[in-house]
Amino acid sequence: MLDIMDPTIATAREQIDYAPRPHALAGLRIGLVENTKKNAEAVLRKLAEILETRHGMRVEVLVHKPQRAPLKDAQIAELKGRTDFAIAGVGD
């Protein structure tokens, strides 16, 4: 059986601790998560190029994952260890 959420009533939710925002963008390391859809990598690389030009950021990691599949633990570890943030992209 599926649970159906009613958006008109308040629900108890677990508190989420968000990552702190950086004070500046210059020099941040970008992780790109590409989902193997057509044009996904091209769109991500173009976005990264703009961020590099405008803010001095750099792409540190590019991981490829199958469509509708989660990242593998090793890919997550690589992103955590070498990047300041990640952008997940889709194509088509």
Side-chain angles (χ1 to χ4, degrees), residues 33 57 62:
V33 179
M57 298 176 179
L62 169 65

Side-chain angles (χ1 to χ4, degrees), residues 16-25 28 83-86:
I16 297 173
D17 291 327
Y18 293 100
R21 292 184 179 204
H23 297 292
L25 300 177
L28 292 180
T83 65
D84 298 304
F85 70 100

Side-chain angles (χ1 to χ4, degrees), residues 12 16 26 49 58 61 72 83 92:
I16 297 173
E49 179 184 311
R58 69 182 183 281
V61 176
K72 295 178 181 175
T83 65
D92 284 344

Side-chain angles (χ1 to χ4, degrees), residues 29 31 33 60-63 70-86:
R29 302 165 298 162
V33 179
E60 195 67 30
V61 176
L62 169 65
V63 295
L71 286 170
K72 295 178 181 175
D73 289 341
Q75 292 172 311
I76 293 170
E78 185 176 11
L79 288 164
K80 280 184 174 181
R82 298 178 51 201
T83 65
D84 298 304
F85 70 100

Side-chain angles (χ1 to χ4, degrees), residues 11-63:
T11 59
R13 290 200 172 177
E14 186 178 319
Q15 181 68 25
I16 297 173
D17 291 327
Y18 293 100
R21 292 184 179 204
H23 297 292
L25 300 177
L28 292 180
R29 302 165 298 162
I30 305 168
L32 301 177
V33 179
E34 185 270 330
N35 71 347
T36 65
K37 291 182 89 174
K38 183 177 180 180
N39 297 319
E41 186 172 345
V43 170
L44 284 170
R45 287 192 180 275
K46 184 63 179 175
L47 177 59
E49 179 184 311
I50 292 167
L51 292 172
E52 288 174 350
T53 301
R54 292 184 186 174
H55 302 289
M57 298 176 179
R58 69 182 183 281
V59 173
E60 195 67 30
V61 176
L62 169 65
V63 295

